[in-house]
Amino acid sequence: MGGGKFMRKRLWRWRSNPLRRHDDIVEAWIVLAVWAVVAVGGTAAGLVTAHAADETFARQRAERHSVQAVLLTDVSDGTSSVRSSSDKALATVRWTAPDGSTRTGQTLVDVGQPAQSRVVLWQDDQGALATEPPSPTEAAVEAGALGTLAGFALTGVVYALGALARWRLELRRVDGWGREWDLVGPRWGHRTT
């Protein structure tokens, strides 16, 4: 019983009513449009973003390859001025690129390794150093998180625009009430005797 009364209250803007104003109808359509865009658009934005991120991670896994490199310098606690929070230090390394050429560069490696130690690096198809691509599980989790974030971002923007439109309608209603009161209000002060 209580549910029917609740629904009648919620859907009052859609019923034919002599007290219903044009702004009430506009507000009802705004609310409906916001919820439709949130439901459909938020889901679509999330799915498209997750799919695009997953494809990017898959491409990274296909383009990046691990390679054995040789440390050219000792990596001790005081060797490098650049330190990361995970006990890594910047060191010079040498590796062989896919075209067979020998390259040298700097990358973060574990602290405490002597010169001539072997380390595993990641390179792209051109032989440039790259970060390790995410595993399929890590990629799925990150793609899902990015998709969720995109869906929520679109939802937030649409909800804010809907709230702004409803606020403008409310200002218009208040101004209309003010104009009507200016016409009717002075008549209330007169006594009829």
Side-chain angles (χ1 to χ4, degrees), residues 1-8:
M1 275 284 178
K5 186 176 182 181
F6 175 75
M7 286 307 290
R8 279 196 312 268

Side-chain angles (χ1 to χ4, degrees), residues 38-60:
V38 163
V40 176
T43 303
L47 290 174
V48 167
T49 302
H51 182 69
D54 200 36
E55 283 183 351
T56 300
F57 296 140
R59 187 173 52 251
Q60 286 177 355

Side-chain angles (χ1 to χ4, degrees), residues 59-141:
R59 187 173 52 251
Q60 286 177 355
R61 283 191 301 277
E63 293 174 351
R64 296 178 185 178
H65 310 284
S66 63
V67 63
Q68 290 285 327
V70 177
L71 278 174
L72 299 179
T73 56
D74 287 333
V75 184
S76 63
D77 287 339
T79 301
S80 174
S81 61
V82 177
R83 297 280 313 259
S84 72
S85 62
S86 61
D87 291 330
K88 293 188 179 273
L90 195 61
T92 305
V93 293
R94 180 180 60 233
W95 72 98
T96 304
D99 63 3
S101 64
T102 302
R103 301 212 179 160
T104 58
Q106 291 191 325
T107 189
L108 289 174
V109 296
D110 292 329
V111 173
Q113 298 185 47
Q116 302 306 315
S117 295
R118 296 222 175 255
V119 293
V120 176
L121 301 178
W122 288 84
Q123 65 180 348
D124 60 16
D125 289 335
Q126 289 76 35
L129 289 176
T131 58
E132 180 179 359
S135 69
T137 303
E138 293 170 338
V141 169

